[in-house]
Amino acid sequence: MHKRSLWVGLLLILPIMLLSACWTPKAAAFSQEERLFSQAWRIVSQSYVDDTFNHQNWWSLRQKTLKKRLPNREATYTAIETMLGSLGDPFTRLLRPEQYHSLQISTSGELSGVGLQIAIDVETGQLEVITPIAQSPADLAGIRPRDHILEIDGMLTRDMTLDEAAARMRGPIGTTVTLKIQSQKEQPKLVEIVRDRISLNPVYSVLDTQDNRDPVGYIRLSQFSANAPMEVAHAVAKLKEMGADGYILDLRNNPGGLLQAGIEIARLWLDQGTIVYTVNRQGTIGSFEAYGDALTEDPLVVLVNQGSASASEILAGALQDNGRAKLVGEKTFGKGLIQSLFELIDGSGLAVTVAKYETPNHRDINKLGIEPDLEVPLEAITMSQVGTEADSQYQEAIKLLTSDTFLAKAS
């Protein structure tokens, strides 16, 4: 199923790239609107993963658009969105200045809004939840992964783009938004949510010493922000000092984030081996490798579910294919495409799909996801029950981590 995803408040997928415009004398005669459109066209022409551009003449599309009048900025944005829409790729999109600014703010570790990552199923047009941010207003309101958002303040989401839906759910702290939510096999219900500032501290860790067994270090990673590798490293060091003999890395409901953060966290657990392959439009395969000493050689189990996406899948795939960890939980989301962000001359931006990725064993997980080694369905639990006796996936991970067979293989 083809999906696209975006943080409400926006979340950066790859480091921002600034493409400098190379103007020719002829280009100098263009209007400001024509220059903006031409810059967007050129970025896609040079960077987009599919060099057939969805089997269309990309130059001809540019010429046809520039023959039309672009009287104002809104008309130019519409022309860019129409051009991008012709690619049939929901991940390649225009970010207007306010959206681009929100994205930049989100990388600092805070969001303002309801705290949802959302997706649009392009086959059905339904807006769905990938995951709520832990302890966000949406999470506390009981919204869960795979819930459908039918309306936002009375407006049908079927008529909205992904960015429009995200923009309608953002807003000043303390204001209210009403969502019409339909959970699986349940009747739709109205949920009123008060927007708030959401702290994106990505790591929670604790030493589990219950049941008279060897202590287990539990690390929950909620997103791959710029500071995530450092925070995970600190958590491992602290738990190791406290006596942890094994680790559980919880990537459930982690929708991804910075690709580089996922790579650096993989290097914390791997001495050597490929972490991920990237494939560009020429079919050229690049790779990121592990090097140096891992922080620990102790056994590791990774928890995943349907809300584990993008960088979570890169990390989980790297640890699984290299035999470093076992995966427990549910099949992951299935987003195997890489976007780069380019800034345009007016302060807006383009998110452009530039490559796809494959796991170390050359698995393409886009739309397919990663299968866990041990499949364990998760019953609905509250955030306070995660990592407790009520958390069936966590309990199965504990059993696996402390079993004699697993410990023998790990050693």
Side-chain angles (χ1 to χ4, degrees), residues 17-21 35-62 65 76-77 79-95 280-282 338-344 349-355:
M17 301 177 65
L18 177 62
L19 186 71
S20 299
R35 286 198 294 271
L36 178 60
F37 176 85
S38 294
Q39 186 191 20
W41 176 90
R42 185 181 300 108
I43 288 171
V44 176
S45 178
Q46 295 173 349
S47 306
Y48 188 59
V49 67
D50 174 16
D51 60 5
T52 75
F53 305 100
N54 199 20
H55 306 285
Q56 61 181 328
N57 188 319
W58 197 243
W59 175 260
S60 176
L61 188 151
R62 172 186 182 273
T65 301
T76 305
Y77 286 157
I80 292 173
E81 290 170 336
T82 299
M83 173 183 71
L84 300 180
S86 72
L87 295 171
D89 174 11
F91 296 106
T92 296
R93 64 190 186 276
L94 172 70
L95 299 172
N280 64 16
R281 69 198 233 173
Q282 289 81 27
I338 299 172
Q339 287 75 45
S340 287
L341 191 71
F342 300 86
E343 184 174 342
L344 299 177
L350 286 186
V352 180
T353 298
V354 296

Side-chain angles (χ1 to χ4, degrees), residues 25 27 197 202 208 242 257:
R197 185 170 300 281
D208 187 340
M242 294 170 67

Side-chain angles (χ1 to χ4, degrees), residues 40 59 67 94 105 148 208 296 353 379 404:
W59 175 260
K67 286 180 181 179
L94 172 70
I105 292 175
H148 289 150
D208 187 340
T296 176
T353 298
E379 298 178 359
D404 292 338

Side-chain angles (χ1 to χ4, degrees), residues 209-222:
T209 58
Q210 300 179 32
D211 302 327
N212 296 318
R213 52 170 165 71
D214 291 337
V216 171
Y218 172 72
I219 301 171
R220 184 168 67 241
L221 180 62
S222 60

Side-chain angles (χ1 to χ4, degrees), residues 233-251:
H234 287 167
V236 172
K238 179 182 70 175
L239 293 169
K240 188 174 183 179
E241 184 178 347
M242 294 170 67
D245 288 325
Y247 297 86
I248 294 175
L249 177 61
D250 192 346
L251 300 180

Side-chain angles (χ1 to χ4, degrees), residues 120 125 150 155-162 164-165 168:
I120 288 181
L150 306 181
M155 298 191 66
L156 292 174
T157 58
R158 186 177 292 277
D159 301 326
M160 300 179 191
T161 66
L162 188 66
E164 288 170 345
R168 289 188 179 278

